[in-house]
Amino acid sequence: KNEVEQSPQNLTAQEGEFITINCSYSVGISALHWLQQHPGGGIVSLFMLSSGKKKHGRLIATINIQEKHSSLHITASHPRDSAVYICAARAGGTSYGKLTFGQGTILTVHP
Amino acid sequence: DTAVSQTPKYLVTQMGNDKSIKCEQNLGHDTMYWYKQDSKKFLKIMFSYNNKELIINETVPNRFSPKSPDKAHLNLHINSLELGDSAVYFCASSLGGSSQPQHFGDGTRLSIL
């Protein structure tokens, strides 16, 4: 079992729908990252959070440290949101920012 | 200006060859990383350097040797390439270790014939 588990692995939505991607982790962390990888292949960091909630435009990320769970929400989804979304747990302590990745969620938003 | 740049973007070569991938960042970061993304899009840390010093070295064949001539550069040299080395390799950088977001390069797609 992977230390970081994402669900669902594949997600298809219609434009305008509210989307939730979940991430559970079993390791102790200093922070949880959400990354976006577009079909072109580049990876962009969306959020880094260690508690509570962060919002950027239509994207919202939340984390519950006690439950070791994070969610990424997309409001009013758009076809340009189609991408692979990856959560990554950043180890704490002296592990110098080592990231352990989830398997990724492939999101397809249809017009 | 590209923040984290990798070269080449594509690398096609034959089994048994030796090749290098270069990474440079102009963000003033002190920590750099190499990640491997397999055919199922799963990412895994390979190496990390902080101020030119190796700090993370995962279970990677010793055919892979990272080199950091200065804190803005982290190159990856691979000897005796094997079919299983085919993957996309991403370089990333951050300021400090565990408290800052990482910035990724665009990746180098390595294909072994």
Side-chain angles (χ1 to χ4, degrees):
Chain A
K1 186 170 159 61
N2 200 25
E3 292 176 323
V4 180
E5 293 280 344
Q6 284 184 239
S7 63
Q9 290 190 18
N10 286 280
L11 183 53
T12 301
Q14 288 298 126
E15 185 172 356
E17 286 184 357
F18 181 82
I19 287 162
T20 297
I21 300 170
N22 295 300
C23 177
S24 297
Y25 54 92
S26 58
V27 296
I29 67 166
S30 62
L32 193 290
H33 293 246
W34 281 102
L35 310 171
Q36 179 191 57
Q37 185 172 25
H38 271 287
I43 296 174
V44 175
S45 179
L46 298 175
F47 296 103
M48 185 184 79
L49 65 165
S50 54
S51 65
K53 175 179 167 179
K54 286 191 176 180
K55 185 174 189 290
H56 182 70
R58 295 180 295 105
L59 301 177
I60 303 165
T62 63
I63 189 167
N64 185 317
I65 298 294
Q66 287 74 29
E67 295 186 3
K68 294 188 174 178
H69 181 269
S70 176
S71 294
L72 177 68
H73 305 286
I74 305 175
T75 61
S77 60
H78 189 276
R80 65 174 173 266
D81 297 325
S82 298
V84 178
Y85 292 84
I86 304 167
C87 73
R90 174 171 280 201
T94 59
S95 45
Y96 289 96
K98 174 186 168 183
L99 290 181
T100 302
F101 297 87
Q103 322 93 302
T105 295
I106 302 172
L107 171 65
T108 305
V109 181
H110 293 294
Chain B
D1 284 342
T2 304
V4 181
S5 59
Q6 296 179 226
T7 54
K9 191 172 175 66
Y10 299 96
L11 187 50
V12 181
T13 190
Q14 293 201 324
M15 210 163 47
N17 284 349
D18 303 338
K19 290 292 178 186
S20 292
I21 306 171
K22 295 187 176 181
C23 180
E24 176 182 3
Q25 54 91 7
N26 62 5
L27 297 167
H29 289 168
D30 57 1
T31 307
M32 296 185 72
Y33 311 82
W34 276 111
Y35 295 97
K36 180 180 180 181
Q37 187 174 44
D38 63 23
S39 56
K40 295 184 179 178
K41 298 283 192 179
F42 188 66
L43 278 158
K44 193 164 184 182
I45 181 76
M46 298 175 70
F47 302 103
S48 176
Y49 271 71
N50 176 259
N51 283 318
K52 302 194 297 175
E53 182 182 342
L54 180 66
I55 52 172
I56 296 175
N57 186 354
E58 291 295 290
T59 308
V60 176
N62 56 16
R63 298 181 295 103
F64 289 78
S65 52
K67 290 215 171 29
S68 182
D70 55 61
K71 67 179 188 178
H73 296 82
L74 181 61
N75 304 321
L76 183 65
H77 188 76
I78 315 169
N79 288 326
S80 303
L81 281 157
E82 299 177 358
L83 289 175
D85 298 333
S86 294
V88 182
Y89 293 85
F90 284 94
C91 175
S93 72
S94 68
L95 185 62
S98 59
S99 62
Q100 300 295 326
Q102 293 183 14
H103 296 250
F104 287 79
D106 289 338
T108 295
R109 182 174 295 277
L110 174 62
S111 299
I112 309 301
L113 304 177

